[in-house]
Amino acid sequence: MIKKILVANRGEIAVRVMRSCREMGILSVAIFSEADRSSMHVRYADEAYYVGPSPSNESYLKMDKILEIALISKADAIHPGYGFLSENTDFARLVASNGLIFIGPSPEAISSMGDKVTARKLMEASGVPVVPGTKKSIQNTEELHQIAHNIGYPIMIKASAGGGGKGMRLVKNEEELESSYNMAKSEARSSFGDDTIYIEKYIESPHHIEFQVLADQHGNTIHLFERECSVQRRHQKVVEETPSPHMTPELRNQMGEYAIKAAQSVNYVGAGTIEFLVDDKRNFYFLEMNTRLQVEHPITERITGVDLVKEQIKIASGEPLTYMQNDISMHGHSIECRIYAEDPQNNFMPNPGLIRHISEPLGLGVRTDGYVYEGYEIPMHYDPMISKLIIWAKTRVEAIERMKRALYEYKITGVKTSIPFLEKIMDTPDFVEGRYNTHFIEKNTKYLELNEPCELECQDIAMFVTYLDFIKSQESQVQDNVTNKPSPWKEFGKKRNLLRL
Ligand code: MV4
């Protein structure tokens, strides 16, 4: 039985994992870097240990040090969260060989799926549709030309060790082929230490739709429907929703079956995600599998009622799944907005710094998964995501309305955030109508531009002017209060609404 878990992560996901631990009566152990001494995950945990200096490779990526802390603290298991060591086979092996439980899949499953050429081969063998392309890696330029010609342009050159958009190149014609190949190869060598390259047919305007799966150690595998993740900026997800507006019940069943097949083909155990590209004609292709809990997991939790972290922990302790496929149903609609400490008016430059004020939205159907608090200084060493706003409502239309309400209530000062940009997305016709693909952001720059001053600044100014008015009226005549002169706060409301136009 698992009684204590070391969470090998930081920020919102560390807090998220510890919350489930607390509900299960499991003790949590935090690790923290120099920059994270006063971070929320350290405060939330039952125990916390210093792991190293601020840079990730001296702290959250230090496998030996983390293992040492796990042994010292007598943790039974390690939860890696996402990012950092979550998909590192060496770490998964190290943890297991020291008698601890790694809360995740086997090192073999991580490594098969981490190598995209191997993953494609395995999927093809199991009958899961993959993007048309090479069956093995490209050996030389002769082969490159031949295969590219057979597939037909445009094509995509990808690094087998890549994923998530890293080491990827679009090639429109034969002229660009060799130089793109050489660039991709040397990029892959320097980024991943592996220059294995493969080619795929370019899918023109795809949707990025992924399926959540859960598999236990007893051979049960289920799926928990899809997440639509096409709203991305430079391969970084911005908004996710479930169900996907592009989905049909038939397609969902079909893709869900293939997602289960994909997981079973690597004897997958734990929570995982199968990514697909889906075209306008609803042809779908396996893209890659993420062998970890994902940032956007809460929207699935919200429509299915399943606590994915609890399931991960139960699976890791050897328990059978709490749910069989027929127990899983979806209820309503859920949308997640990722809130980054970035300046949307300055090319989304990371904007770490001191949180002067934060007031988070509440009310029916609102969940925030965050970790920052008033007076907290966001370190510059890590991902600038500060929070996720997860909305639930009965219908998609109501979920968008509620998201807009919650974004309106979300007040953060001290750092610039992506909130105004997210508000623009919620007002963009293509999004509102649910007709968007991976080109959504570049296609809608007109709607997404933020050229007026930051809304929050305007509100602050309006508030200040109103306050001055109020003080002045107090000084002049007490009479005003009983005359029919309108309240200055009502005037403030009007000004604010004007500024929102
Ligand atoms: C593709 C593609 C079109 N055709 N592969 C980007 C991230 C990585 N997971 C794979 N990606 C893509 N692969 C083929 N054969 C288009 C993309 C892509 C994309 C995919 C998902 C979400 C956003 C994207 C934005 C640009 C390109």
Side-chain angles (χ1 to χ4, degrees), residues 116 120 131-132 154-158 162-166 168 170 198-209 229-237 275-277 285-288 290 437-439 442:
K116 310 303 168 196
R120 280 172 61 83
V131 183
I155 59 156
M156 285 213 106
I157 296 184
K158 297 186 178 186
K166 281 175 284 175
M168 223 175 65
L170 168 63
Y198 67 105
I199 316 182
E200 283 178 358
K201 175 87 190 153
Y202 177 62
I203 310 295
E204 294 279 349
S205 297
H207 286 250
H208 171 132
I209 299 178
C229 301
S230 296
V231 181
Q232 302 203 3
R233 205 189 145 270
R234 297 194 186 151
H235 302 303
Q236 195 178 55
K237 291 169 190 159
E275 288 185 8
F276 293 98
L277 289 181
Y285 310 96
F286 169 88
L287 195 60
E288 48 196 73
N290 301 310
N437 57 40
T438 49
H439 299 302
E442 68 215 47

Side-chain angles (χ1 to χ4, degrees), residues 201-404:
K201 175 87 190 153
Y202 177 62
I203 310 295
E204 294 279 349
S205 297
H207 286 250
H208 171 132
I209 299 178
E210 57 186 33
F211 272 71
Q212 177 70 52
V213 296
L214 279 177
D216 65 18
Q217 297 179 26
H218 310 280
N220 305 302
T221 307
I222 61 169
H223 75 83
L224 294 95
F225 312 119
E226 78 280 7
R227 293 186 287 259
E228 169 70 66
C229 301
S230 296
V231 181
Q232 302 203 3
R233 205 189 145 270
R234 297 194 186 151
H235 302 303
Q236 195 178 55
K237 291 169 190 159
V238 179
V239 177
E240 306 97 354
E241 63 175 315
T242 184
S244 164
H246 192 54
M247 193 53 72
T248 65
E250 300 73 43
L251 185 65
R252 177 175 296 119
N253 284 335
Q254 212 185 355
M255 289 178 75
E257 287 291 312
Y258 280 120
I260 290 172
K261 245 187 211 176
Q264 286 173 336
S265 76
V266 289
N267 300 313
Y268 198 82
V269 170
T273 300
I274 316 291
E275 288 185 8
F276 293 98
L277 289 181
V278 184
D279 69 18
D280 285 336
K281 295 183 194 117
R282 296 199 172 83
N283 298 307
F284 60 92
Y285 310 96
F286 169 88
L287 195 60
E288 48 196 73
M289 180 174 189
N290 301 310
T291 55
R292 57 157 195 277
L293 183 71
Q294 288 198 262
V295 176
E296 58 273 23
H297 76 276
I299 58 172
T300 299
E301 297 187 319
R302 199 60 191 81
I303 63 149
T304 61
V306 177
D307 180 329
L308 290 169
V309 175
K310 274 189 188 169
E311 289 306 310
Q312 282 188 299
I313 295 169
K314 288 192 226 168
I315 290 166
S317 11
E319 289 179 41
L321 287 178
T322 318
Y323 310 88
M324 292 297 112
Q325 192 65 59
N326 286 338
D327 302 323
I328 305 295
S329 58
M330 68 166 102
H331 181 56
H333 198 95
S334 185
I335 307 176
E336 173 180 276
C337 280
R338 296 190 187 189
I339 295 162
Y340 291 94
E342 286 177 349
D343 183 358
Q345 298 207 73
N346 185 16
N347 202 27
F348 298 85
M349 277 268 280
N351 198 259
L354 182 75
I355 304 282
R356 291 197 177 281
H357 171 83
I358 177 163
S359 123
E360 295 195 290
L362 289 167
L364 182 61
V366 178
R367 162 179 175 183
T368 60
D369 273 23
Y371 76 104
V372 305
Y373 53 86
E374 226 152 83
Y376 175 74
E377 188 164 353
I378 300 165
M380 40 86 84
H381 303 276
Y382 318 105
D383 190 272
M385 192 179 75
I386 47 180
S387 158
K388 303 177 315 203
L389 175 54
I390 303 112
I391 294 298
W392 179 87
K394 283 203 303 294
T395 63
R396 186 172 188 272
V397 168
E398 217 187 335
I400 294 172
E401 288 166 355
R402 188 166 284 164
M403 179 63 85
K404 286 163 71 167

